[in-house]
Amino acid sequence: MTRRAHIWLGVASVAAAGSMSAQSLRVEPRTALVDSSVRITVTGLEPGQAVILRASRTDSAGRTWQSFAGYRADARGMVDLSHAAPANGFYHGVTPMGLLVSMDVGGPARGTLRYPFKWADTIRTQIALEIGGRTVSVDTLTQTFTTPGVGMRSVRDGGLVGTIFTPADSIDRGAVLVLGGSEGGVSSEDIAAQLASHGYVAFALAYFGADSLPTSLDNIPLEYFGRALTYLRADPAVGHGAIAILATSKGAEAALAAAAHFPEVRAVVGYAPSSVHWSCICASPHSSWSLGGVGLPNVPAGTDPTYLVPPGFPLRPAVNYLFRMRDSSVAAQAAIHVEDIKGPILLVAGDDDGLWPSLSMAREVMARRGRLGAKHGDVLLHYAGAGHLIGKAFLPAGSTLIGGGRVDTGGTPAGNSLAQADAWPRVLEFLRRALRASAAATPRRSRVR
């Protein structure tokens, strides 16, 4: 080999090494709230160059959740997940957080699990850039449910059971009562923690299935929610701010019913809501809710005799809920008096809700508000391809099956994730506008921690 050839090989080797070192993966910011979108970019590529991004994390049960997606660099030699759709992988289309929400476990459990989390978790995801089968850059995203300085205290007072989260600053933006669904317990702490991180005093309230509360959803007094509203109003951290309720599923049913009776509720956000009071989720024929010791008019239990799935296949309860509403006079009698709610309502529903017909019920809420002259800037967010499990944080969407695979909640993980990404910023903006009377930066009393 000639001396000139040796020199050329040396230059080429250095150039290749320099090019490889310039290929860089970056996550910005590296620490973020779980409901915040981050920017994931790859730079230093050749235009059209093929790359693969892989994400992995370990859940609280020790299981590894993973995803991958393959991309081609744009004309600038860059892949920006805010603008680039993958050519292959676990998700499709331009979805900035697609790599995270599409993560799943491998093996026989794939597609069968819900992602486990608690509000106090710190979630770390390793994202790796792979080129030609070789990992060339790695970055880590850390997600939390709270920002620094958010306060938390348990509430076990006057029969109330829950957790109050307070923001780090002293700006009076208002307060939000947060209700979970038919899972019971204090199941809405993660959402309350996120809301506190956005500046609201948030009260995650259990209404059955915890401590001394009823064990089932049977004649839960609306007065209980009234006491919670009074307790929240008296909290020194709330100041003069208005109060909203944010709730999901069965909790959204309770939220609308409570807001219709308690005028201090100035706004309601309901994910997968109901337009009627339903009978209890229990063995008795009672209503789910009571007022003044009397069960509210409700749609009674029942099953569609034409619907019987074979053993081993999941049930879609929405079929039976629709059957129960076949008598329009019963549904009309059980209707929630949403026209009495004093402030605006925002409802979020998917068109493939398998648990109950939340979209048709959301439309009925809006129609009733319109017919009876109760328009207050109401909003209905309707999502194609989404089911019952529309989340509020950028976590793996997980399976749409619940109850050990016995119940199909509808939609797809991708559809639910897209709905979440669009709805949550709108919910935050809705709350800001609805409670804007209390949004001025007015100093208030010292917070209770």
Side-chain angles (χ1 to χ4, degrees), residues 128-156:
L129 167 64
E130 185 178 298
I131 299 176
R134 178 168 168 247
T135 299
V136 299
S137 185
V138 176
D139 210 343
T140 299
L141 170 65
T142 300
Q143 294 172 291
T144 61
F145 287 88
T146 59
T147 52
V150 166
M152 182 277 290
R153 75 175 189 276
S154 178
V155 175
R156 300 293 188 275

Short mmCIF file of all heavy atoms in Angstrom, two decimals, residues 128-156:
data_model
loop_
_atom_site.label_atom_id
_atom_site.label_comp_id
_atom_site.label_asym_id
_atom_site.label_seq_id
_atom_site.Cartn_x
_atom_site.Cartn_y
_atom_site.Cartn_z
N ALA A 128 -32.58 5.31 23.73
CA ALA A 128 -31.30 5.02 23.07
C ALA A 128 -31.43 5.22 21.57
O ALA A 128 -32.45 4.86 20.95
CB ALA A 128 -30.85 3.60 23.37
N LEU A 129 -30.39 5.78 20.98
CA LEU A 129 -30.30 5.95 19.54
C LEU A 129 -29.44 4.83 18.98
O LEU A 129 -28.31 4.61 19.42
CB LEU A 129 -29.65 7.31 19.21
CG LEU A 129 -29.20 7.52 17.76
CD1 LEU A 129 -30.38 7.50 16.80
CD2 LEU A 129 -28.42 8.84 17.64
N GLU A 130 -29.98 4.12 18.01
CA GLU A 130 -29.30 2.98 17.42
C GLU A 130 -29.13 3.23 15.91
O GLU A 130 -30.09 3.58 15.22
CB GLU A 130 -30.12 1.72 17.65
CG GLU A 130 -29.47 0.43 17.19
CD GLU A 130 -30.34 -0.77 17.50
OE1 GLU A 130 -30.58 -1.04 18.71
OE2 GLU A 130 -30.81 -1.42 16.56
N ILE A 131 -27.92 3.04 15.42
CA ILE A 131 -27.62 3.19 14.00
C ILE A 131 -26.83 1.97 13.55
O ILE A 131 -25.80 1.63 14.14
CB ILE A 131 -26.80 4.47 13.73
CG1 ILE A 131 -27.58 5.71 14.16
CG2 ILE A 131 -26.45 4.57 12.24
CD1 ILE A 131 -26.81 6.99 14.03
N GLY A 132 -27.33 1.29 12.54
CA GLY A 132 -26.64 0.11 12.02
C GLY A 132 -26.45 -0.97 13.05
O GLY A 132 -25.42 -1.66 13.05
N GLY A 133 -27.40 -1.12 13.97
CA GLY A 133 -27.32 -2.16 14.98
C GLY A 133 -26.43 -1.80 16.15
O GLY A 133 -26.19 -2.65 17.02
N ARG A 134 -25.98 -0.55 16.22
CA ARG A 134 -25.07 -0.13 17.29
C ARG A 134 -25.65 1.08 18.02
O ARG A 134 -26.12 2.03 17.41
CB ARG A 134 -23.71 0.25 16.68
CG ARG A 134 -22.68 0.76 17.66
CD ARG A 134 -21.33 0.81 16.99
NE ARG A 134 -20.39 1.57 17.81
CZ ARG A 134 -19.88 2.73 17.48
NH1 ARG A 134 -20.21 3.28 16.32
NH2 ARG A 134 -19.01 3.34 18.26
N THR A 135 -25.65 1.03 19.35
CA THR A 135 -26.12 2.16 20.15
C THR A 135 -25.05 3.24 20.16
O THR A 135 -23.92 3.00 20.59
CB THR A 135 -26.43 1.72 21.59
OG1 THR A 135 -27.47 0.74 21.57
CG2 THR A 135 -26.90 2.91 22.43
N VAL A 136 -25.42 4.45 19.71
CA VAL A 136 -24.43 5.52 19.60
C VAL A 136 -24.72 6.68 20.55
O VAL A 136 -23.85 7.54 20.74
CB VAL A 136 -24.36 6.05 18.15
CG1 VAL A 136 -23.92 4.94 17.21
CG2 VAL A 136 -25.68 6.65 17.70
N SER A 137 -25.91 6.73 21.14
CA SER A 137 -26.22 7.82 22.06
C SER A 137 -27.38 7.40 22.95
O SER A 137 -28.29 6.69 22.50
CB SER A 137 -26.58 9.09 21.29
OG SER A 137 -26.78 10.19 22.15
N VAL A 138 -27.34 7.84 24.20
CA VAL A 138 -28.39 7.49 25.16
C VAL A 138 -28.74 8.73 25.97
O VAL A 138 -27.86 9.52 26.34
CB VAL A 138 -27.92 6.36 26.11
CG1 VAL A 138 -28.99 6.07 27.17
CG2 VAL A 138 -27.60 5.10 25.33
N ASP A 139 -30.02 8.91 26.26
CA ASP A 139 -30.46 9.99 27.14
C ASP A 139 -31.56 9.42 28.04
O ASP A 139 -32.15 8.37 27.75
CB ASP A 139 -30.98 11.18 26.34
CG ASP A 139 -30.76 12.51 27.08
OD1 ASP A 139 -30.52 12.47 28.30
OD2 ASP A 139 -30.84 13.57 26.43
N THR A 140 -31.84 10.12 29.14
CA THR A 140 -32.82 9.64 30.11
C THR A 140 -33.84 10.73 30.40
O THR A 140 -33.48 11.89 30.63
CB THR A 140 -32.14 9.22 31.42
OG1 THR A 140 -31.22 8.16 31.15
CG2 THR A 140 -33.18 8.73 32.44
N LEU A 141 -35.11 10.35 30.39
CA LEU A 141 -36.20 11.24 30.76
C LEU A 141 -36.69 10.85 32.15
O LEU A 141 -36.97 9.68 32.42
CB LEU A 141 -37.36 11.13 29.77
CG LEU A 141 -38.65 11.84 30.17
CD1 LEU A 141 -38.45 13.35 30.24
CD2 LEU A 141 -39.78 11.49 29.21
N THR A 142 -36.79 11.84 33.04
CA THR A 142 -37.34 11.64 34.38
C THR A 142 -38.67 12.36 34.46
O THR A 142 -38.74 13.57 34.22
CB THR A 142 -36.38 12.18 35.45
OG1 THR A 142 -35.13 11.49 35.36
CG2 THR A 142 -36.96 11.97 36.85
N GLN A 143 -39.73 11.61 34.81
CA GLN A 143 -41.07 12.18 34.92
C GLN A 143 -41.55 12.11 36.36
O GLN A 143 -41.34 11.11 37.06
CB GLN A 143 -42.05 11.43 34.02
CG GLN A 143 -41.81 11.56 32.53
CD GLN A 143 -42.71 10.63 31.74
OE1 GLN A 143 -42.54 9.41 31.79
NE2 GLN A 143 -43.66 11.19 31.02
N THR A 144 -42.21 13.18 36.80
CA THR A 144 -42.79 13.22 38.14
C THR A 144 -44.22 13.76 38.04
O THR A 144 -44.61 14.39 37.06
CB THR A 144 -41.98 14.14 39.07
OG1 THR A 144 -41.98 15.47 38.54
CG2 THR A 144 -40.55 13.64 39.21
N PHE A 145 -45.01 13.49 39.09
CA PHE A 145 -46.38 13.98 39.13
C PHE A 145 -46.49 15.35 39.79
O PHE A 145 -47.53 15.99 39.69
CB PHE A 145 -47.27 12.99 39.89
CG PHE A 145 -47.56 11.73 39.12
CD1 PHE A 145 -46.69 10.65 39.21
CD2 PHE A 145 -48.66 11.64 38.31
CE1 PHE A 145 -46.94 9.49 38.49
CE2 PHE A 145 -48.93 10.48 37.59
CZ PHE A 145 -48.06 9.40 37.67
N THR A 146 -45.43 15.78 40.47
CA THR A 146 -45.46 17.08 41.15
C THR A 146 -44.21 17.88 40.85
O THR A 146 -43.14 17.31 40.62
CB THR A 146 -45.58 16.91 42.68
OG1 THR A 146 -44.45 16.15 43.15
CG2 THR A 146 -46.87 16.22 43.07
N THR A 147 -44.38 19.20 40.88
CA THR A 147 -43.24 20.09 40.80
C THR A 147 -42.69 20.31 42.22
O THR A 147 -43.40 20.09 43.20
CB THR A 147 -43.65 21.43 40.19
OG1 THR A 147 -44.78 21.94 40.91
CG2 THR A 147 -43.99 21.28 38.72
N PRO A 148 -41.44 20.75 42.34
CA PRO A 148 -40.89 21.02 43.68
C PRO A 148 -41.75 22.03 44.44
O PRO A 148 -42.24 23.01 43.88
CB PRO A 148 -39.50 21.60 43.37
CG PRO A 148 -39.15 21.02 42.04
CD PRO A 148 -40.43 20.95 41.28
N GLY A 149 -41.96 21.75 45.72
CA GLY A 149 -42.71 22.65 46.56
C GLY A 149 -44.18 22.35 46.70
O GLY A 149 -44.87 22.95 47.54
N VAL A 150 -44.71 21.43 45.89
CA VAL A 150 -46.11 21.05 46.04
C VAL A 150 -46.29 20.34 47.38
O VAL A 150 -45.53 19.44 47.74
CB VAL A 150 -46.56 20.15 44.88
CG1 VAL A 150 -47.89 19.46 45.20
CG2 VAL A 150 -46.70 20.95 43.60
N GLY A 151 -47.31 20.76 48.13
CA GLY A 151 -47.57 20.17 49.44
C GLY A 151 -48.65 19.11 49.37
O GLY A 151 -49.49 19.11 48.46
N MET A 152 -48.65 18.20 50.32
CA MET A 152 -49.64 17.13 50.37
C MET A 152 -49.98 16.82 51.81
O MET A 152 -49.09 16.81 52.67
CB MET A 152 -49.08 15.88 49.69
CG MET A 152 -50.05 14.69 49.63
SD MET A 152 -50.10 13.67 51.16
CE MET A 152 -48.49 12.89 51.10
N ARG A 153 -51.26 16.63 52.09
CA ARG A 153 -51.64 16.15 53.42
C ARG A 153 -52.87 15.26 53.31
O ARG A 153 -53.76 15.48 52.48
CB ARG A 153 -51.90 17.31 54.37
CG ARG A 153 -53.19 18.06 54.17
CD ARG A 153 -53.37 19.12 55.26
NE ARG A 153 -54.69 19.72 55.23
CZ ARG A 153 -55.04 20.73 54.45
NH1 ARG A 153 -54.16 21.24 53.58
NH2 ARG A 153 -56.26 21.22 54.48
N SER A 154 -52.90 14.25 54.15
CA SER A 154 -54.03 13.33 54.19
C SER A 154 -55.19 13.96 54.94
O SER A 154 -54.98 14.70 55.92
CB SER A 154 -53.60 12.03 54.88
OG SER A 154 -54.68 11.13 54.98
N VAL A 155 -56.41 13.70 54.48
CA VAL A 155 -57.62 14.21 55.13
C VAL A 155 -58.42 13.03 55.67
O VAL A 155 -58.82 12.14 54.92
CB VAL A 155 -58.48 15.02 54.14
CG1 VAL A 155 -59.80 15.44 54.79
CG2 VAL A 155 -57.72 16.25 53.65
N ARG A 156 -58.62 13.04 56.97
CA ARG A 156 -59.51 12.10 57.65
C ARG A 156 -60.25 12.94 58.69
O ARG A 156 -59.90 12.96 59.86
CB ARG A 156 -58.74 10.95 58.32
CG ARG A 156 -57.90 10.10 57.37
CD ARG A 156 -58.77 9.31 56.41
NE ARG A 156 -58.00 8.35 55.63
CZ ARG A 156 -57.37 8.63 54.49
NH1 ARG A 156 -57.38 9.87 54.02
NH2 ARG A 156 -56.71 7.70 53.82
#
